[in-house]
Amino acid sequence: MNTKTILIVDDEPRSREGIKKTLENWSNGQYQILLAANAESAIDIMKKQKVNILITDIRMPKITGITMLKTIKDQNYLPVVIVISAYSEFEYAQEALRLGVINYLLKPISKKKLVEAVEDAIKIDKNRERANIISRVVDDKLIDATVTNESAREPIQKALQYIEKHLKEELNQREVADHVYLNPSYFSVLFKEEIHLTFSEYITRRRIQHAKNLLISTKLSIADIAEESGYKTAKYFIKIFKELEGITPSAYRKVNIERAF
């Protein structure tokens, strides 16, 4: 499990140390809390490691907080940002919000408001990570099939509904064709024409999609996930999973759980 990192950027030593102390007392060692005295140092830190939450002053010598935010955005570093400032000029707040800042705190900052802002930022960071995982889990070809399904002929729509209900069970083309009252050969042609995947490819992709969801959302064993996804043996499931995803189910789970938390 990776430790989340909070980076505090402020040119005033007393201010940044005070923020760090407040967050250390609140977090009880759950987060790595780093300090930077200026924007240059902060950018160097973000080049070397992922920063989940960035707390930065607006007015700093050489490179301002706003300029730093523009720089890291251009370089695709995307921490959740909280801005702190002794200045309440509206243009600063406006510019900060345009750069994706989620909170704008004025000095002197109360400990309660600081902790509340960081807690909100942590929730946003977790939601981002989970959204990223979902985007990795989703199979583009299945998305296309789902979109196509909305305009597919009724027998194919019924076939997909039947597949969904019986994904865990053994499925074959003849059985599904019989269910929608079509000749198996005609059903095969119609399915490919409407869904843009063969029947067997659709079943495989849908089962692996289901398995990926279980891998990141449950603690089920690989053998149980194989069974839940319609595979008789874990060995065969692992083989098919690796062919489609390029890694084993265990490796997939490890990588994505670490990213999520």
Side-chain angles (χ1 to χ4, degrees), residues 25-239:
N25 290 337
W26 159 78
S27 69
N28 196 28
Q30 291 184 65
Y31 301 93
Q32 179 184 33
I33 301 173
L34 304 179
L35 296 178
N38 53 55
E40 297 99 314
S41 297
I43 292 168
D44 284 342
I45 288 171
M46 282 183 273
K47 284 179 181 176
K48 293 171 184 173
Q49 69 176 87
K50 180 176 179 180
V51 170
N52 300 92
I53 298 164
L54 174 65
I55 303 172
T56 182
D57 195 2
I58 282 285
R59 287 200 175 182
M60 293 183 289
K62 294 185 181 179
I63 301 176
T64 66
I66 291 292
T67 302
M68 178 183 68
L69 294 181
K70 289 177 180 175
T71 301
I72 64 172
K73 190 175 182 181
D74 289 343
Q75 295 180 6
N76 209 32
Y77 303 134
L78 302 171
V80 182
V81 182
I82 300 167
V83 157
I84 55 176
S85 179
Y87 304 91
S88 58
E89 291 95 329
F90 186 60
E91 61 268 24
Y92 281 116
Q94 276 189 314
E95 184 67 16
L97 291 169
R98 277 196 292 270
L99 290 166
V101 170
I102 62 128
N103 222 320
Y104 191 97
L105 303 175
L106 294 177
K107 293 179 180 180
I109 307 164
S110 75
K111 291 179 180 180
K112 183 183 177 185
K113 284 189 175 180
L114 174 63
V115 167
E116 285 174 352
V118 171
E119 286 176 342
D120 287 343
I122 287 166
K123 288 176 187 174
I124 291 169
D125 180 64
K126 284 183 178 178
N127 287 338
R128 280 185 184 177
E129 290 287 359
R130 283 168 181 158
N132 287 337
I133 287 172
I134 289 168
S135 70
R136 289 191 293 272
V137 166
V138 170
D139 185 325
D140 289 339
K141 289 193 176 183
L142 285 181
I143 291 176
D144 292 341
T146 303
V147 172
T148 303
N149 177 29
E150 294 172 3
S151 58
R153 289 178 232 185
E154 188 177 349
I156 299 304
Q157 290 183 3
K158 286 184 176 179
L160 293 178
Q161 290 166 10
Y162 182 83
I163 290 167
E164 201 63 28
K165 287 179 182 176
H166 298 84
L167 201 62
K168 184 180 174 179
E169 302 161 23
E170 190 171 341
L171 281 165
N172 62 65
Q173 190 167 281
R174 179 176 290 279
E175 173 193 347
V176 180
D178 287 346
H179 179 75
V180 296
Y181 307 107
L182 290 178
N183 173 279
S185 298
Y186 176 64
F187 172 76
S188 176
V189 172
L190 187 62
F191 192 94
K192 177 70 184 295
E193 185 180 296
E194 295 279 358
I195 303 303
H196 308 301
L197 293 169
T198 65
F199 177 82
S200 61
E201 187 180 3
Y202 179 83
I203 295 290
T204 297
R205 287 183 174 275
R206 185 63 195 87
R207 281 176 167 161
I208 296 302
Q209 173 84 65
H210 183 62
K212 289 194 289 184
N213 289 333
L214 292 176
L215 284 164
I216 64 171
S217 64
T218 74
K219 293 182 179 179
L220 289 172
S221 69
I222 300 302
D224 286 342
I225 289 173
E227 185 180 341
E228 287 295 321
S229 304
Y231 291 97
K232 289 183 177 179
T233 68
K235 185 178 179 181
Y236 184 63
F237 163 63
I238 292 166
K239 176 179 178 290

Side-chain angles (χ1 to χ4, degrees), residues 8-22 35 57 84 107 109 114:
I8 302 161
V9 191
D10 196 327
D11 61 310
E12 298 176 13
R14 189 174 176 182
S15 175
R16 64 177 181 266
E17 290 291 346
I19 293 169
K20 182 182 182 185
K21 186 176 179 181
T22 298
L35 296 178
D57 195 2
I84 55 176
K107 293 179 180 180
I109 307 164
L114 174 63

